[in-house]
Amino acid sequence: MSATIGTDEHIHYRTCHLCEAMCGVEIRVRDKEILSIRGDERDAFSRGHICPKALALKDVHEDPDRLRKPVLRTASGWEEISWNEACDEVAKRLVDIQQRHGNDAVASYIGNPQVHSFAGLLGGAKFLRALRSRNRYSATSVDQLPHHFVAYFLYGHQLMIPIPDLDRTRFLLVIGGNPVVSNGSLMSAPDVARRLKDLRARGGRLVVVDPRRTETAEIADTHLFVKPGTDALLLLAMLQVIFEEGLVAPGALADRLDGLAEVRELCRPHSPESVAAATGIDPHKVRELARDFARAETAVCYGRMGVSTQQFGALCQWLIQLLNIVTGNLDQPGGAMFTRPAFDILGLAAGFGQRGSFDKRRTRVRGLPEFGSEFPVSALAEEILTPGKGQIRALVTAAGNPVLSTPNGRRLEEALPGLEFMVSVDFYINETTRHAHLILPPTYALERDHFDLIFHVLAIRNTVRYSTPLFEKAESALHDWQIFERLISSLAKHDPSRKPGFFKGWVDRWLTPRRSVALGIRLGGRGAGWNPFSRGLTLGRVLESKHGIDLGPLEPCLPARLQTPNQRIKLVPVPLVADLERLHNHFKTDTAESDTDLLLIGRRDPRTNNSWLHNAKRFVKGPERCTLLMHPGDAARRQLRNGDLAAVNSRTGKVEIPVEVTEEMMPGVVSIPHGWGHHRPGLQLRIATQHAGVSVNDLTDETFIDSLSGNSALNGVAVRVSALAAHQSA
Ligand code: SF4
């Protein structure tokens, strides 16, 4: 959407695609030059808010390191080749490997940025179907798999994740999340800091439970330190108090719940006193927290990375749901609610019978269960390295850097060179793609349409906005979805059995990403359908509103929206109840770490986005940010001072990293941000390599997982820390 403001200047309005918050931006452009990026004051959702990362839209667009043409790895380095040659070579190699070793010999890994490109998401899904391999992996299992797992079992669809009604709640309990920095995750919410101030201004309360006094904890009414990995015990104890003190009040949903009495029995043994030694939280404070939460006019508990990417991630997410349900806060204004987006991808998928799946098959080596047709990525390296029938021989990655973002990245790094073939759809030569034989670079976001297919489903308010391209793509460039289309055609050329029939071929060609969105909006619950006189939504109407359309606050929608049999909520799904035994056994056995052990957790930085954005000067300049945060007592015991270099060892590896001594850490816990570690050879990231940092995933452990959901446990990793030489004066 653009408005001309002079002969050669114009303003373009679009949604920032960089994180889940979906902020509207106003980009001032002269010819091909971006002059400024500001928040779009009239954006229906973000109302002018942006964070510093928005400037990365310009930086990445203009980055000379960004690939613009396909490149082939040769003995003398990377060489540009044509799209035809590249796609033909990829298809030839993949088909050959599949014909010799079976379809599953080719695996795929889809990274997190893919979800920020709706066309890439749609095109990628088509490509994966054409690839015919069941060996699929993605960033989901290092991030939010427990949320999907619990949504699937409780509400009948893996995408049916309740969202905190942030703007109306009177009590927000955040466990293991830092929305002030992330701007909400699985809770799209631009300007979270302002929204949390508003919560307190209207007399509400914010409580944060976290092993680190995060930026969110800093502005909370109450912050409680919790020992990493023990949140499930805390939640059980809160539920125990609520049952014991007669505070259960499920409200309007009461007659839709099955298993409430069983929940009471499951919680009974877990008094706050009985879990205090494990969690490190004063039982009086747990009782008080449980009572305040239950008695609040409205309340919602939200748990994110700290409780998802840990050993008991699925249990935590289940218990969070139970807390919201038994206190009557599910599907109620101010509680945990469901969205009703313009493009109702959840409803559409459910209409086709696609609700998710669990344990349809298992990984070959370790027997980890599938969820949603994907395997846990912690199994990827061993599936490549372990010989035998079904071994992975080739890999396709798209928009991902699993060497930096998955546990024990070093092992994956050792595995990748052993592949017969690897291709990456990516525009950077990074820690992962440097191992590819071919890299196929898509256009950048400013050259293509943008629509949030997924994040509108996860937002704290119903809005809709569609962004058209700011710049025309170069004739020689391809969008991500066009790359996938080319690959599909090339696969069919080398294996005629993959050639679609006439009708399917026609539909595939006609159904471009933009038409898919148009159809999705038209057929969604708010759409015009096929009625020419309807005032319902169409893509045309969405496009007319260049700042997006506000569709109102979240509204109660249960039981109609439930995807479960008989539209009931089974509070005690068998796999989750059974997993409580693992929790009990874990804390029953003597798991006390030795005196020298510390527990490692991650953290989010306001100027970076996981492993993205390190190749832009403005985001990496200033004091080193890849540091080890450590409590003063823990530092003193190891003769470590601010700025000293420490050696951090775990079962899987060792890194050397400067220490930042701070009381924001709980004693016994240290923190390293993820996404760094750009010292590897062969990268084409000139700025990132000058600010290399270390990769926390050189320390995390592919065997340390939430064995129920398969999600990696990136928090609570046992490490030893010792002093090295002084790094720099404090
Ligand atoms: S909060 Fe996210 S969407 Fe908003 S400007 Fe920052 S990076 Fe972009």
Side-chain angles (χ1 to χ4, degrees), residues 660-675:
E660 223 179 314
V661 179
T662 169
E663 297 213 340
E664 73 188 46
M665 292 308 299
M666 181 179 188
V669 185
V670 290
S671 166
I672 299 178
H674 104 265

Side-chain angles (χ1 to χ4, degrees), residues 15-25 49-54 57 182-183 190-191 609:
T15 305
C16 173
H17 74 290
L18 288 169
C19 83
E20 301 179 36
M22 301 188 287
C23 299
V25 290
H49 170 79
I50 53 168
C51 82
K53 289 193 289 284
L57 294 173
S182 68
N183 270 296
D191 205 0
N609 200 354

